[in-house]
Amino acid sequence: MIIGQIIVRESANGGGELRHRDDLKCADGELTLHTDPEDAVGLALYDDAGAYRPLKTAPNLRHGWRMVLADGAAARLALDSFYPGRRGAFAAFQAGRLHPTPLRETLGRQTGMYRVTQKITEEQIDALVGSFCRSDGGCLRTILWKRDTAGAAPSSLLPSEKFDPTHDQSGQTREQFASFVPLLCQEACNLLVAKARAVVKGKSSSGKE
Amino acid sequence: MNSTDPSTSALLIVGHGSTVNPDSAAPSLVHAAAIRRRRIFGQVACAFWKEEPGMRDWPFLFDESIRDVYVVPNFISEGYFTRTVIPRELEMDGAPGAVTPRPDTGQRWHYCEPVGNHPSMTELLLRRAREVAPSVPERETSLLIVGHGTGLNDNSAVAAKEQAARIGAMGQYARVLSTYMEEPPLIADWAKLTDTPNVVVVPFFISDGLHSYQDIPVLLGIESEITASASERLRQGEVFMQNPRHLHGRNLYYASAIGTEAQFADVIVEQAGAGSV
Ligand code: SF4
């Protein structure tokens, strides 16, 4: 199974091995072995260069590890740390129970320091989403939300595949793997909301968060 | 929890999180792992305001076998986050003890009191003070509890004041004061606010994040500018904080935030338990 940048080679009991897709060809001994699913929190925290990863679905998962997990519960726990909420969101999607929230609704709900995001213009949304959410260097999620209740596209700068749950946002080939779990984005994340605030305030960075 | 089956009960720890500081979410994640190991809940998850999973991911956090979810805000005080942001994002009734039914799954979501309301906070603050300055005579020592103060964190100042009053009433320290980052009495004025040779400062914060690890040391004069985060400095082989510092002719001791204490896991479980009554 493929989920984001991770390959899961499942065993009969639902456990199995997790590793970075780029490390597929590495010999087991070249990778650091983990058997505790709780280690996933630490593995997901920093990228290869040691920089903090606030966005877990950013395409910068660190390399060089493999995780061998005893059972399905352990595998689920690990995946929920690498990609929080994404397994559940995909299950809801498959069951027809995933209801995306338009961006304008997300912004309209904000209070306090984020209330100002309601002032963001259409042009600013187009540029911000186009750069911040792009799969190449931004975020590997498939966007399911619309810009507003009228159904406007989130950004004209993103290719149509960015909104297609059958498309692998990593751009890697996956012929040899039977199943694929897309990382769905049913509602704009708080990082995007914080960036929207920075855009409205005319700052390049959102400062202290 | 007392009255329901543990395997169908879940715990959701809600933290603030940060997009720039990896240490903000750490206490919530560490306590979640510790509580998971005790197997008193069928599932234990965290959700954050500024990190993933976001609170809006609430429908995706628990399996369908879960019947009751206990939501414990890992916050020091009641206020804007516990009363406005968390109930709004989790689509819950925000009154402490309120139960929100989820028609889709039949789950009941219980809103519990924040950890900071728990009676053991006073003891945890005192313990931190003793740990950081184990050999100083308390009669010659002022203890300063630092809260955020002002703005959206409205009740954090009240909470810090209450703790200072409780510890002061015990009569151990020469003086016990609550101070704030952004409103008087300012922690930056610590030397003026105290007259003892020893001053112990304990931040009333959950994590060694931006405020307690990076901002307050600058306000105290320990650091001249904002440093890297605690975990980054640790990775570079630096110690947490060197104590004491000799500043303004005093011995200044600065403790780490209380939310990282292992005992906090018990507090979270107890807040969840209280929510089930
Ligand atoms: S809004 Fe969605 S697609 Fe964009 S960065 Fe956030 S999680 Fe990724």
Side-chain angles (χ1 to χ4, degrees):
Chain A
M1 180 180 86
I2 290 286
I3 175 167
Q5 290 181 286
I6 294 176
I7 294 178
V8 185
R9 286 187 280 199
E10 290 161 291
S11 54
N13 66 352
E17 192 221 47
L18 275 62
R19 64 167 73 185
H20 196 296
R21 288 170 77 170
D22 296 344
D23 293 339
L24 182 58
K25 298 214 168 67
C26 292
D28 291 355
E30 289 174 56
L31 306 171
T32 310
L33 174 67
H34 296 263
T35 53
D36 184 349
E38 302 279 2
D39 289 355
V41 168
L43 288 170
L45 198 56
Y46 301 102
D47 65 14
D48 284 328
Y52 172 48
R53 299 175 68 234
L55 184 62
K56 300 290 179 255
T57 47
N60 57 358
L61 182 67
R62 99 157 72 151
H63 296 82
W65 53 271
R66 69 188 193 104
M67 200 172 246
V68 176
L69 300 169
D71 54 28
R76 287 193 292 275
L77 184 58
L79 287 174
D80 286 348
S81 295
F82 281 116
Y83 293 122
R86 293 314 90 201
R87 244 181 3 99
F90 184 54
F93 175 77
Q94 287 180 307
R97 286 188 282 105
L98 191 65
H99 309 293
T101 306
L103 178 61
R104 284 286 179 197
E105 201 176 306
T106 303
L107 300 181
R109 208 178 60 231
Q110 303 301 314
T111 54
M113 65 187 278
Y114 296 106
R115 192 190 295 275
V116 70
T117 58
Q118 291 156 20
K119 292 191 189 155
I120 194 167
T121 66
E122 296 304 311
E123 293 72 30
Q124 286 170 326
I125 290 177
D126 204 57
L128 173 64
V129 174
S131 71
F132 195 73
C133 301
R134 71 187 193 282
S135 296
D136 166 21
C139 176
L140 291 174
R141 290 209 207 183
T142 301
I143 297 180
L144 298 182
W145 45 268
K146 301 290 185 193
R147 192 184 295 198
D148 49 37
T149 45
S155 173
S156 64
L157 304 171
L158 295 171
S160 59
E161 304 94 73
K162 183 67 181 175
F163 314 105
D164 175 5
T166 64
H167 181 79
D168 182 350
Q169 301 297 333
S170 76
Q172 285 170 285
T173 52
R174 60 177 164 92
E175 290 80 28
Q176 67 268 53
F177 295 100
S179 64
F180 161 70
V181 175
L183 302 169
L184 301 178
C185 185
Q186 81 287 349
E187 173 161 2
C189 66
N190 269 305
L191 280 92
L192 186 70
V193 174
K195 289 286 172 201
R197 177 177 185 268
V199 166
V200 172
K201 294 231 153 205
K203 290 188 243 170
S204 58
S205 133
S206 54
K208 289 182 181 184
E209 296 295 339
Chain B
M1 252 172 52
N2 308 335
S3 51
T4 50
D5 178 359
S7 67
T8 62
S9 297
L11 171 67
L12 179 63
I13 304 172
V14 180
H16 190 283
S18 164
T19 57
V20 293
N21 191 309
D23 303 311
S24 177
S28 295
L29 294 166
V30 167
H31 300 319
I35 297 168
R36 225 177 264 130
R37 279 193 290 274
R38 296 187 202 170
R39 301 187 181 280
I40 44 181
F41 292 95
Q43 275 184 280
V44 180
C46 295
F48 300 98
W49 172 226
K50 313 248 26 134
E51 280 180 49
E52 292 169 285
M55 284 186 267
R56 296 288 292 176
D57 288 327
W58 70 261
F60 319 125
L61 300 178
F62 301 109
D63 296 341
E64 286 189 354
S65 59
I66 297 297
R67 301 286 83 213
D68 291 276
V69 176
Y70 297 89
V71 179
V72 177
N74 199 10
F75 282 76
I76 281 302
S77 59
E78 275 177 274
Y80 175 64
F81 282 105
T82 63
R83 292 194 186 135
T84 306
V85 177
I86 298 173
R88 181 188 76 209
E89 299 293 293
L90 293 180
E91 299 173 71
M92 283 183 79
D93 182 339
V99 181
T100 303
R102 305 292 197 189
D104 269 14
T105 56
Q107 286 172 350
R108 292 176 298 269
W109 284 52
H110 306 252
Y111 198 50
C112 308
E113 292 205 30
V115 291
N117 282 5
H118 193 274
S120 65
M121 290 301 119
T122 314
E123 184 202 322
L124 286 168
L125 287 166
L126 263 177
R127 193 195 295 175
R128 273 290 195 257
R130 290 197 195 105
E131 275 168 5
V132 75
S135 53
V136 301
E138 289 159 357
R139 296 305 314 163
E140 293 165 24
T141 304
S142 302
L143 174 61
L144 304 185
I145 308 294
V146 199
H148 189 284
T150 75
L152 294 174
N153 297 278
D154 34 348
N155 284 301
S156 68
V158 177
K161 198 170 178 176
E162 276 173 14
Q163 295 300 338
R166 262 179 230 160
I167 297 171
M170 295 175 187
Q172 296 167 342
Y173 286 89
R175 192 140 193 227
V176 184
L177 279 178
S178 54
T179 58
Y180 309 102
M181 292 175 60
E182 295 179 355
E183 67 181 64
L186 289 167
I187 186 58
D189 293 334
W190 67 270
K192 281 184 233 152
L193 295 168
T194 58
D195 53 9
T196 50
N198 308 303
V199 177
V200 175
V201 178
V202 182
F204 194 24
F205 284 85
I206 295 289
S207 71
D208 288 312
L210 201 60
H211 295 315
S212 64
Y213 192 81
Q214 295 178 297
D215 292 336
I216 295 174
V218 175
L219 297 171
L220 287 170
I222 294 175
E223 302 288 352
S224 54
E225 57 185 36
I226 298 218
T227 63
S229 69
S231 56
E232 272 165 67
R233 289 180 77 179
L234 212 71
R235 286 196 305 157
Q236 288 161 15
E238 292 183 48
V239 289
F240 176 78
M241 285 280 172
Q242 276 170 351
N243 282 300
R245 300 290 179 127
H246 303 287
L247 286 171
H248 303 284
R250 322 287 188 80
N251 300 316
L252 176 67
Y253 299 82
Y254 183 52
S256 58
I258 56 168
T260 52
E261 275 271 343
Q263 197 192 321
F264 235 73
D266 301 326
V267 171
I268 293 170
V269 171
E270 282 180 29
Q271 295 303 64
S276 71
V277 187

